[in-house]
Amino acid sequence: MNGSNGLTGETVGETYNEWISFGVESEPLNYIFSGTVFNDNGGISDSAADPDKVGAPYSSNSNYFNGTFDSNEAGVLVKTGSVASRVRLVNDCDNPTTTYATQTLTTADAGVYRFTIPVTEIGNRNSVCIIEDNNSDYPIRTTSGNKQVGFTSNKYSYPNNNFGRVIEANKALVLEKEQALNNCSISTLEPFLKTV
């Protein structure tokens, strides 16, 4: 831009009342959602897993099957030819009608997922939902398959949205209810009956 002292005869190029204007463009704000689909085995290796074992290493292991990603546990590993976990970020847990992002975990992911979504894409919602499904190697859940994430003002990072799973051989003990045969003859009930 050519300069000017404001005198009509000395104006070169632009007129003297033009201004230089500029702005600094900032990067758009993003929400970041992340977590791990983890093997909730309490550190028990898959090769040592035994559903018929009742004592150690299960009984004294408070990290086993507790739904928390503990320091001695790792993300799930995808085996060749298996169906991996799929993690989706959607608008609603009960009735998802909008999918913002999807990640199908690979061996390289080691169970870790991450979504970076522009704030403008979410709009004025006060929460979103993360859904995890489709894992054939770790078919048993130790946590819910979805997590509702509520937004906090001026907070854009939402880490540790973890999902627990175990292999079939590491499943928790299941108590079975059995019905015993009862003798309900009138003679056995007579002491408890009152005459009206």
Side-chain angles (χ1 to χ4, degrees), residues 44-55:
I44 300 166
S45 69
D46 289 352
S47 60
D50 184 352
D52 297 324
K53 227 176 228 184
V54 176

Side-chain angles (χ1 to χ4, degrees):
M1 177 173 190
N2 295 317
S4 170
N5 64 8
L7 297 175
T8 306
E10 295 190 17
T11 302
V12 181
E14 296 82 4
T15 60
Y16 70 90
N17 60 355
E18 289 184 292
W19 297 90
I20 298 173
S21 65
F22 66 93
V24 176
E25 186 176 322
S26 62
E27 292 193 22
L29 283 177
N30 292 314
Y31 285 121
I32 299 172
F33 306 91
S34 60
T36 303
V37 180
F38 66 98
N39 188 354
D40 197 8
N41 62 0
I44 300 166
S45 69
D46 289 352
S47 60
D50 184 352
D52 297 324
K53 227 176 228 184
V54 176
Y58 298 98
S59 59
S60 60
N61 190 337
S62 61
N63 293 339
Y64 169 71
F65 217 100
N66 67 354
T68 302
F69 187 19
D70 300 300
S71 61
N72 62 342
E73 295 170 333
V76 297
L77 297 176
V78 180
K79 298 181 178 114
T80 305
S82 297
V83 176
S85 285
R86 176 184 62 168
V87 185
R88 295 177 290 148
L89 180 68
V90 298
N91 63 325
D92 185 74
C93 287
D94 297 324
N95 184 28
T97 56
T98 302
T99 300
Y100 301 110
T102 301
Q103 182 177 347
T104 300
L105 301 180
T106 66
T107 302
D109 295 320
V112 177
Y113 71 90
R114 178 185 168 106
F115 300 125
T116 302
I117 307 295
V119 170
T120 55
E121 191 171 333
I122 302 290
N124 61 356
R125 297 193 58 81
N126 58 11
S127 69
V128 291
C129 183
I130 302 171
I131 299 176
E132 182 270 333
D133 57 19
N134 286 357
N135 196 309
S136 63
D137 289 333
Y138 298 84
I140 301 168
R141 292 188 178 284
T142 63
T143 62
S144 172
N146 59 48
K147 294 187 180 289
Q148 184 168 335
V149 180
F151 294 122
T152 302
S153 182
N154 296 319
K155 181 179 177 186
Y156 300 99
S157 180
Y158 295 89
N160 301 317
N161 291 292
N162 304 321
F163 297 93
R165 286 185 169 269
V166 294
I167 61 173
E168 182 71 30
N170 248 337
K171 66 185 173 186
L173 297 176
V174 177
L175 299 177
E176 294 182 6
K177 180 179 177 183
E178 293 186 15
Q179 181 66 45
L181 189 59
N182 292 316
N183 180 359
C184 292
S185 68
I186 194 70
S187 61
T188 59
L189 295 175
E190 278 181 341
F192 304 102
L193 298 176
K194 289 185 177 181
T195 309
V196 179

